[in-house]
Amino acid sequence: HQAMAATSQQSGTEAGRMEQPVICGGMVLDTAGEGEDNATEVASGELEPEEGSNTWSSDAEAVDSNDLDETGAQRKDMPKSGIMSRSERKAYYGFCAQYFAVGILYGGIPSTVYPVFLGYLNVPSYVYASVTVISSLPWSFKFFFGLLNDTVSIMGLRRKPYMMIGWTMCGLFLVILFMTPLPAPYWCIDEETGDYIKKKTLPDGSHHAADPCHAEAAEMGGKYSILMMLAALGYVIADVAADGLLTEYAKAEPLEKRGSTQTTAYLTRTLGQACSSMFVGVFMNSKLYNGSFDWGLSFEQVCLCFALPAMLMVPISALLVHEPRATSDDGKSQFKCSEYFAMCWELLKSKAFFYAILYVFLTPVISGISTTAAGQVKISWAGV
């Protein structure tokens, strides 16, 4: 903010001269009264001059310094009232579609691990636990994908190209999963009921585990877990790019609506996650996957169903998503890596930010403690 000198006005009252507020360095200094120091700190861009005067109104839209070009004017390609404005409906639908698609795959792909690897392939418990971790492993690299987004642009864009790359990658590996049929199930199937034959009764009346028809199925889950991880890597890349665009949209929000963009994004993602979990719960509940229905979709068909929204997001990202272009002179990056890490280090030196990072780090470390017997508890004890 540049210092603004207040103009003096002559009033017709006995109070004499009254000075306009002086705005300097983000502070409003009210010099009215006898020696009263009424300094009020305001957020950057919170106040703007009213038409025809030098006074400032708190009802104006917030303008972040990052949204200004080299002349101090707001970028023309940044939504003036945020992504929620009526003029940005097209971009709004494209933006929400990103998070809805991420929710579908984030909730859908991990939901198939239990019926496929324990119900169908009957892998050992430690293998099932490993597959669960592997399928969500790409989320651990969000920082590096964010670094790539912020420092390397493609054709002047730092979000949309990575969205398209991520969705293409996700859809491709889901199609590969569709074209890679599962082996025959581990257990033998009762021809009358369609249930798996897991127990046999000996002549003395005792019960023992039945002999599997295809014992090698328990050792063939590796390639499916790798393909699922690569599909997850694709939608994580797209999600990181969407998160980066989310911060840019949030900066343009009016103060009275600040936070609406983030709330809408994650509400949309949660809705997609719930829809895909219900889809897997219903359509993969056949007896072939240790369910109770006589009908259902195969794992390959479910993968194809998930590939459709992933592939559909490629043209949606290209045509509907609105992204401000990178502002660097060379058009390749906005930040150098050295500048990026220096900025991160400055943030980490803040005590409040460091505690927030510590909380985000320790929460999954503690809540993620589990046992490899969890899968067997569900399938053997709970019978689900």
Side-chain angles (χ1 to χ4, degrees), residues 46-48 50 56-61 255-256:
E46 182 175 347
L47 304 180
E48 72 174 16
E50 296 179 346
W56 290 65
S57 169
S58 61
D59 295 333
E61 297 176 359
L255 287 179
E256 63 271 15

Side-chain angles (χ1 to χ4, degrees), residues 114-192:
Y114 177 77
V116 171
F117 287 87
L118 273 186
Y120 188 93
L121 299 177
N122 195 43
V123 300
S125 296
Y126 69 90
V127 175
Y128 168 73
S130 300
V131 172
T132 304
V133 173
I134 289 174
S135 63
S136 60
L137 185 62
W139 290 101
S140 302
F141 300 97
K142 286 191 68 174
F143 172 79
F144 300 102
F145 298 144
L147 171 64
L148 186 65
N149 271 236
D150 290 335
T151 57
V152 180
S153 64
I154 301 176
M155 299 179 65
L157 298 173
R158 297 182 292 118
R159 314 299 182 194
K160 290 176 63 172
Y162 291 102
M163 292 178 184
M164 298 171 65
I165 291 172
W167 289 123
T168 302
M169 180 178 177
C170 179
L172 175 63
F173 284 107
L174 285 173
V175 170
I176 294 176
L177 276 169
F178 166 70
M179 299 174 63
T180 307
L182 290 172
Y186 180 86
W187 298 108
C188 300
I189 300 177
D190 190 324
E191 296 181 357
E192 296 182 359

Side-chain angles (χ1 to χ4, degrees), residues 276-287:
S276 62
S277 297
M278 293 177 59
F279 176 81
V280 173
V282 172
F283 291 99
M284 287 195 71
N285 192 40
S286 63
K287 294 179 179 179

